[in-house]
Amino acid sequence: MKRWLTASIRGLAAALLLGGVIWLMPGCVTHAEVGDGGYAGPYYDYEYYPAQDVYYYPQGRIYYWHEGDAWRSGRRLPSHYDVHEAHHEHYRGRTRQPWTERGHEHEEHEHH
């Protein structure tokens, strides 16, 4: 009986821990009030670097950049990008794919 109780408590603790991790994985999301453009839902805050066409999601520590004909993401940018001293703008979007909302076509930029 004692073994069963101990195993049950461990299983419950593991399930709660796993559930908490899964719940926190999506990152921080801001919910807007109805009236902010008529949309009430989650928003994601990004830093956008227009000269490099790069987005950074600080809460998840993920960069998004255009490479070839596709968008890529990762914790670090490829070495030919330098955004540390670059001008950036705050961008609040409704998706984890911010380039889909900006309404701009990707323009080729030279990266140094």
Side-chain angles (χ1 to χ4, degrees), residues 44-50 52-65 71-77 83-84 88-93 95-99 102:
Y44 302 91
D45 291 316
Y46 298 94
E47 294 173 9
Y48 176 60
Y49 298 86
Q52 293 86 11
D53 205 13
V54 169
Y55 296 87
Y56 179 63
Y57 179 55
Q59 288 82 4
R61 293 187 228 153
I62 298 173
Y63 288 95
Y64 300 93
W65 66 94
W71 283 88
R72 309 283 183 208
S73 64
R75 299 245 180 218
R76 294 189 175 156
L77 285 169
V83 297
H84 298 292
H88 66 277
E89 305 166 358
H90 176 261
Y91 171 66
R92 178 170 279 176
T95 177
R96 289 287 184 120
Q97 297 177 333
W99 60 92
R102 294 291 293 215

Side-chain angles (χ1 to χ4, degrees), residues 22-45:
I22 290 172
W23 183 70
L24 291 173
M25 277 179 58
C28 297
V29 177
T30 305
H31 290 274
E33 300 292 324
V34 175
D36 286 349
Y39 178 79
Y43 281 94
Y44 302 91
D45 291 316

